[in-house]
């Protein structure tokens, strides 16, 4: 997996300080995204996907404490002064959020959103340049440039999501972080958005970090996958091997529980139990309670990452 | 299919929402503009049968579900549930009939009272419908049901509050509350949409079991065809207020006929990276329901559209063995 990397995450640890205790949201996460590559981050709700994604742009809330390294162009984003990070955002690394209705300003026209984005990097940018850039980006995201003067409420949910993607790609960033870009959209619109991403992958030199809980979408778009559970990277592998031969018990059960459309497969599977409390974690493997292969050692000692071929898996079975 | 064995029989259901326009303009117009959210649809559901209702956002699924049990007033149509003419019921008699039909929504947190213990929430319908003679008897019924929906130990769960539960557990509380009155008919509106895959499977399993055990008629509204597959005997596909196809689940998955259904099926992401499909996608966006295309409503996006499609009535026709489609051109 060592081609030229756009982004390297090394031993990322993130905690949230709350009144009722410390939430250990991300522990010792390491992975990288190569140039032109799409990396999927999957896992159940609350396992730390968004926290990881937001850390990449240093967009964590004030009660968060992040340690470790997020290396972009040889520098650690986490220790950069805010002023410099602001220069990266949108231009080098951009993010597309889960909910386009709350992340677009309802009283600003689409054009003004682009203007604001571009001004942040070039205070005296000319109107023609904004329109030129915005038109190109909108077109790439499947929105007609005729809609530059529209307000967000004049768009359907799917179209708003495309506008968000257009804003994300407008300044031709090297890395785009997409947090659940299709959740809450129906399958037809979702497929249209996926097509936008496929097109971006083919035509632009962009690395994509795709955060989703939908294993179908990851299978369609990602090259590499990080499987997170309770804040830890449990498995890290290329998409083909991961789906063909999942190593970690959690990955195996997760894949099995996805409803499929094969009409002769009518069996439903689920993973009994639930995520451990991130404020009060057990000493051993975080998946211990729910793992069908758990052994004594798993309860007492937390497994480290083991390398299997070119893959990584955090489980004592691969010791 | 004889209608007598059906628990739910809906005919020519319509729901038009009035469109808000400036009053001056409203005065000038003879015909008030409306959103034809549900436009003349019919279906029936037997006991221990689940009918899936699928279709993209805005196609009218929720409106069908709510109109059928008169949570909103249908503009027109006839509705029979358990041999009772629902449209003719008023006030107290409608309220009493409600124990026979219940609805489960997408967001369990929004449908539970945060200040009421879940035990009391589930007991509430028993009080409303005068089922059970005293608190003790009702509590027994709730505890028994908690065991069935796997909220165990039931005595401990009885006193918990919604915020002390996981999403999947909350949805099981909502399901328990819906079936405690022993209804004949359940509408489930995207009840599993907000749940994680694994939890979703678990709740689907529970619904399947309860459907069998209580011989329920289910209207299973979802935009997730994969989930519908596990629950539904038959599936109806909606587009812009119309049902465009109805068939047994197997038929629909193996031989989808209507171009819209084909597109819908093709758009489902498959969790297998080795499968690369050539997807046919519809052109453009779903038209505004206030400005519906004449003739076949799918015409503006259909890859097979031709001149004749401009004047046809989208009548469902049996294409063989109870497989109904509203497109006469694709057989
Ligand atoms: N601002 C915060 N303060 C305290 N805890 C937080 C905060 N934000 C998130 N958390 C907690 O951190 C953990 C990880 O949350 P995160 O949002 O990263 O999960 P996720 O994998 O993105 O989940 P989802 O699929 O639901 O979006 C959760 O337990 C969450 O409750
Ligand atoms: N109270 C209302 N007033 C006016 N229009 C409404 C009202 N409720 C729904 N509509 C419109 O009726 C149409 C059908 O909406 P409905 O909510 O039934 O669709 P749906 O298939 O359930 O969509 P989704 O998958 O997004 O839940 C939409 O165009 C919607 O905007
Ligand atoms: S370390 Fe043990 S408990 Fe954890 S996933 Fe592996 S086998 Fe299961
Ligand atoms: S009637 Fe015409 S437009 Fe409608 S689905 Fe059939 S071919 Fe397409
Ligand atoms: Mg998230
Ligand atoms: Mg709905």
């Amino acid at each position: 997996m060592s081609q030229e990397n756009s982004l390297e995450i090394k031993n990322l640890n993130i905690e949230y300080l709350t009144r009722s205790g410390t939430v250990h949201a991300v522990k010792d996460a390491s992975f990288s995204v190569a140039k032109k590559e799409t990396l999927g981050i999957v896992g159940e709700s609350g396992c730390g996907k968004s926290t990881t994604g937001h850390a990449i742009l240093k967009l964590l809330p004030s009660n968060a404490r992040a340690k470790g390294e997020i290396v972009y162009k040889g520098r650690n984003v986490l220790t950069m002064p805010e002023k410099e990070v602001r220069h990266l955002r949108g231009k080098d690394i951009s993010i597309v959020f889960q909910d386009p209705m709350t992340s677009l300003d309802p009283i600003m026209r689409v054009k003004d959103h682009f203007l604001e984005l571009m001004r942040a990097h070039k205070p005296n940018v000319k109107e023609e340049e904004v329109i030129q850039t915005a038109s190109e980006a909108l077109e790439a995201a499947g929105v007609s440039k005729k809609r530059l003067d529209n307000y967000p409420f004049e768009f359907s949910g799917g179209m708003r999501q495309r506008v968000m993607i257009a804003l994300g790609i407008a300044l031709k960033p090297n890395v785009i972080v997409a947090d659940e870009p299709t959740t809450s959209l129906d399958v037809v619109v979702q497929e249209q958005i996926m097509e936008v991403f496929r097109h971006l992958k083919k035509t632009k030199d962009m690395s994509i970090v795709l955060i989703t809980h939908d294993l179908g979408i990851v299978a369609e778009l990602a090259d590499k996958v990080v499987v997170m559970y309770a804040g830890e990277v449990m498995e890290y592998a290329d998409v083909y091997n991961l789906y063909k031969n999942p190593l970690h018990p959690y990955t195996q059960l997760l894949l099995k529980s996805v409803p499929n459309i094969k009409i002769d497969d009518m069996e439903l599977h689920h993973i009994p139990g639930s995520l451990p409390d991130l404020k009060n974690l057990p000493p051993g493997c975080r998946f211990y309670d729910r793992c069908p292969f758990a052994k004594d050692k798993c309860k007492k000692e937390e497994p480290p990452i083991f390398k299997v071929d070119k893959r990584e898996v955090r489980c004592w079975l691969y010791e | 299919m004889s209608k007598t064995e059906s628990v739910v029989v809906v005919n020519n259901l319509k729901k038009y929402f009035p469109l808000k326009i400036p009053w001056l303009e409203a005065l000038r117009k003879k015909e008030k503009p409306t959103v034809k959210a549900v436009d003349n649809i019919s279906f029936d559901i037997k006991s221990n049968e689940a009918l899936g209702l699928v279709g993209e956002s805005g196609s009218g699924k929720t409106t069908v579900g709510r109109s059928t049990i008169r949570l909103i007033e249908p503009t027109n149509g006839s509705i029979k549930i358990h041999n009772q003419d629902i449209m003719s019921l008023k006030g107290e008699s409608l309220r009493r009939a409600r124990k026979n039909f219940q609805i489960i929504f997408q967001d369990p947190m929004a449908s539970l009272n945060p200040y009421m213990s879940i035990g009391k929430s589930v007991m509430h319908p028993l009080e409303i419908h005068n089922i059970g003679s005293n608190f003790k008897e009702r509590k027994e019924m709730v505890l028994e049901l908690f065991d069935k929906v796997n909220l165990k130990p039931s005595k401990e769960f009885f006193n918990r509050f919604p915020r002390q539960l996981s999403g999947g557990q909350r949805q099981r509380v909502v399901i328990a509350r819906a079936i405690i009155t022993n209804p004949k008919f359940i509408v489930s509106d995207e009840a599993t949409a907000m749940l994680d895959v694994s939890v979703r499977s678990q709740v689907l399993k529970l619904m399947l079991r309860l459907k069998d055990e209580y011989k329920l008629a289910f209207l299973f509204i979802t935009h997730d065809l994969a989930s519908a597959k596990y629950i539904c005997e038959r599936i109806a596909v909606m587009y812009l207020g119309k049902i465009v196809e109805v068939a047994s689940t197997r038929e629909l998955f193996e031989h989808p006929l209507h171009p819209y259904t084909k597109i819908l099926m093709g758009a489902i992401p498959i969790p297998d990276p080795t499968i690369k499909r050539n997807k046919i996608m519809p052109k453009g966006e779903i038209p505004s329901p206030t400005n519906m295309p004449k003739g076949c409503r799918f015409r503006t996006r259909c890859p097979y559209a031709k001149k004749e499609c401009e004047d046809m009535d989208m009548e469902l026709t049996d294409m063989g063995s109870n497989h109904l489609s509203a497109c006469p051109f694709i057989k």
Side-chain angles (χ1 to χ4, degrees):
Chain A
M1 280 180 212
S2 62
Q3 313 146 40
E4 200 185 332
N5 285 332
S6 297
L7 197 66
E8 262 176 81
I9 315 287
K10 293 185 197 163
N11 305 100
L12 182 66
N13 282 277
I14 301 168
E15 296 172 350
Y16 290 108
L17 310 180
T18 72
R19 238 178 288 165
S20 53
T22 304
V23 179
H24 301 273
V26 178
K27 177 159 177 257
D28 254 342
S30 301
F31 55 86
S32 62
V33 196
K35 233 180 178 161
K36 295 193 84 154
E37 188 176 64
T38 298
L39 173 102
I41 304 183
V42 296
E44 282 167 281
S45 181
C47 66
K49 305 183 295 294
S50 295
T51 303
T52 306
H54 292 198
I56 295 173
L57 281 99
K58 230 181 156 183
L59 283 173
L60 294 168
S62 57
N63 68 330
R65 298 286 171 272
K67 279 197 290 234
E69 287 177 73
I70 291 170
V71 185
Y72 176 76
K73 286 193 175 158
R75 300 186 58 201
N76 184 0
V77 177
L78 287 180
T79 54
M80 262 185 214
E82 175 61 24
K83 207 173 139 221
E84 284 176 50
V85 181
R86 230 176 290 142
H87 280 292
L88 290 185
R89 283 192 204 122
K91 199 152 165 266
D92 286 80
I93 311 175
S94 70
I95 187 161
V96 176
F97 287 104
Q98 187 154 357
D99 182 359
M101 201 51 204
T102 54
S103 29
L104 290 174
D105 189 332
I107 58 164
M108 271 166 61
R109 288 173 302 178
V110 167
K111 190 168 74 186
D112 303 328
H113 282 89
F114 283 92
L115 181 66
E116 193 183 71
L117 170 76
M118 292 174 74
R119 268 213 192 117
H121 299 282
K122 196 174 173 188
N124 50 3
V125 63
K126 295 232 169 53
E127 165 123 18
E128 301 92 84
E129 195 185 337
V130 173
I131 289 176
Q132 173 70 27
T133 307
S135 306
E136 265 172 40
L138 286 170
E139 215 84 342
V143 184
S144 159
K145 63 182 175 202
K146 287 188 205 131
R147 307 202 60 172
L148 272 168
D149 286 321
N150 286 129
Y151 289 92
F153 71 85
E154 296 173 278
F155 291 87
S156 67
M159 277 315 218
R160 278 197 292 268
Q161 193 56 276
R162 288 174 195 240
V163 172
M164 281 297 294
I165 296 174
L167 280 162
I169 60 174
L171 302 179
K172 307 196 167 59
N174 295 316
V175 182
I176 176 164
V177 179
D179 190 359
E180 309 272 7
T182 64
T183 308
S184 81
L185 300 177
D186 64 63
V187 284
V188 173
V189 183
Q190 172 173 288
E191 169 53 31
Q192 288 167 334
I193 301 284
M194 285 203 286
E195 193 52 39
V196 172
F197 278 106
R198 279 188 209 108
H199 183 73
L200 288 178
K201 276 181 71 167
K202 252 188 260 157
T203 55
K204 307 250 169 11
D205 266 346
M206 217 178 277
S207 307
I208 304 171
V209 178
L210 177 71
I211 297 172
T212 173
H213 61 262
D214 190 325
L215 288 143
I217 292 175
V218 170
E220 298 232 8
L221 291 178
D223 304 303
K224 266 187 339 199
V225 186
V226 161
V227 180
M228 287 188 81
Y229 182 78
E232 288 183 327
V233 175
M234 292 303 188
E235 186 160 0
Y236 177 35
D238 76 275
V239 73
Y240 292 102
N241 282 311
L242 187 93
Y243 281 75
K244 196 169 86 192
N245 178 26
L247 297 179
H248 198 283
Y250 177 61
T251 318
Q252 292 169 3
L253 293 175
L254 194 64
L255 281 172
K256 229 175 153 182
S257 66
V258 182
N260 64 54
I261 54 166
K262 293 184 203 130
I263 192 69
D264 288 312
D265 179 4
M266 289 302 242
E267 213 164 328
L268 281 161
H269 301 274
H270 77 273
I271 315 174
S274 54
L275 277 177
D277 180 0
L278 294 178
K279 286 182 202 140
N280 195 2
L281 284 160
C285 171
R286 295 186 179 186
F287 192 55
Y288 176 81
D289 277 355
R290 307 171 78 182
C291 181
F293 309 106
K295 37 186 188 178
D296 269 356
K297 183 176 192 175
C298 310
K299 189 179 173 121
K300 294 184 210 103
E301 283 177 66
E302 173 137 45
I305 293 267
F306 294 102
K307 289 218 155 90
V308 182
D309 300 325
K310 281 182 182 165
R311 311 164 55 171
E312 293 180 5
V313 52
R314 190 186 285 279
C315 169
W316 285 121
L317 295 177
Y318 302 93
E319 198 176 350
Chain B
M1 207 184 325
S2 121
K3 298 265 161 158
T4 49
E5 51 177 314
S6 297
V7 175
V8 181
V9 183
V10 171
N11 277 308
N12 307 102
L13 183 70
K14 285 185 190 163
K15 177 66 192 178
Y16 296 174
F17 290 106
L19 196 69
K20 289 196 185 73
I21 51 167
W23 64 272
L24 239 169
E25 211 174 305
L27 280 180
R28 258 186 274 128
K29 288 207 169 134
K30 277 204 202 82
E31 208 182 312
K32 295 263 184 309
T34 53
V35 176
K36 296 180 175 172
V38 174
D39 203 7
N40 211 9
I41 75 166
S42 306
F43 60 90
D44 54 72
I45 313 173
K46 287 181 272 194
S47 86
N48 197 11
E49 184 186 47
L51 174 69
L53 193 57
V54 302
E56 70 192 282
S57 187
S59 56
K61 307 180 294 295
T62 294
T63 309
V64 170
R66 294 189 183 197
S67 310
T68 304
I69 57 170
R70 280 188 65 189
L71 275 185
I72 51 177
E73 264 327 290
T75 306
N76 207 342
S78 81
I79 302 163
K80 273 210 176 103
I81 299 175
H82 195 49
N83 280 323
Q84 198 172 24
D85 178 3
I86 302 300
M87 285 302 275
S88 68
L89 298 178
K90 281 195 205 70
E92 178 61 20
S93 59
L94 175 61
R95 210 184 55 81
R96 254 184 285 127
R98 288 204 178 278
K99 77 178 204 319
N100 287 327
F101 41 91
Q102 301 282 348
I103 186 164
I104 307 167
F105 298 108
Q106 172 168 0
D107 183 358
M109 204 54 191
S111 41
L112 290 170
N113 180 343
Y115 303 109
M116 200 188 262
S117 75
I118 58 166
K120 290 220 173 103
S121 278
V122 174
M123 200 192 285
H124 194 58
L126 294 177
E127 287 157 0
I128 295 182
H129 294 291
N130 252 320
I131 304 169
S133 46
N134 53 37
F135 182 85
K136 197 165 158 272
E137 211 177 300
R138 287 176 185 143
K139 182 166 177 178
E140 267 319 304
M141 293 165 86
V142 173
L143 292 177
E144 200 184 310
L145 190 54
F146 273 13
D147 274 332
K148 261 191 204 154
V149 300
N150 219 349
L151 291 165
K152 290 189 235 184
S154 54
K155 282 211 176 85
E156 193 212 304
F157 269 97
F158 190 92
N159 294 315
R160 287 220 206 161
F161 287 85
R163 71 185 135 76
Q164 296 170 309
L165 305 180
S166 70
Q169 286 171 335
R170 270 178 220 141
Q171 201 53 293
R172 276 182 273 159
V173 172
V174 175
I175 291 171
R177 190 181 54 184
I179 65 168
I180 189 108
T181 59
N182 217 340
K184 306 288 181 288
F185 174 43
I186 298 265
V187 176
S188 156
D189 191 355
E190 307 276 8
T192 57
M194 280 175 58
L195 306 172
D196 264 326
V197 271
S198 164
V199 183
R200 182 182 309 162
S201 298
Q202 201 176 6
V203 171
L204 286 174
K205 265 194 233 176
L206 173 66
M207 287 188 177
L208 211 51
R209 208 180 70 221
L210 295 173
K211 180 185 121 218
D212 260 6
E213 196 176 323
Y214 290 78
K215 304 278 171 262
L216 292 166
F218 243 103
L219 182 64
F220 189 78
I221 297 172
T222 179
H223 60 255
D224 179 16
L225 266 157
S227 292
K229 179 196 85 176
Y230 294 93
I231 297 271
C232 304
E233 276 78 11
R234 286 184 299 141
I235 294 178
V237 181
M238 271 190 94
Y239 185 79
L240 268 187
K242 289 275 193 195
I243 290 181
V244 296
E245 184 163 6
V246 191
S248 75
T249 302
R250 178 172 284 276
E251 249 306 287
L252 196 87
F253 273 70
E254 288 180 342
H255 314 287
L257 286 176
H258 197 279
Y260 178 64
T261 312
K262 290 186 184 173
I263 282 167
L264 206 57
M265 301 280 267
I268 303 168
I270 295 180
D272 181 349
T274 58
I275 295 177
K276 297 275 181 251
R277 289 167 298 171
N278 214 348
K279 297 177 179 175
I280 18 161
M281 288 313 289
K283 299 176 273 180
E285 280 187 89
I286 194 163
S288 151
T290 54
N291 189 14
M292 225 98 74
K294 202 158 63 56
C296 175
R297 291 180 186 181
F298 190 50
R299 184 166 62 80
T300 51
R301 303 170 76 199
C302 180
Y304 312 102
K306 45 185 172 181
K307 192 86 186 89
E308 291 102 299
C309 306
E310 282 170 39
D311 38 40
M312 45 156 310
D313 53 8
M314 298 189 84
E315 202 63 43
L316 282 171
T317 328
D318 195 339
M319 311 299 244
S321 48
N322 275 324
H323 189 152
L324 314 183
S325 168
C327 174
F329 304 116
I330 314 276
K331 295 200 168 99

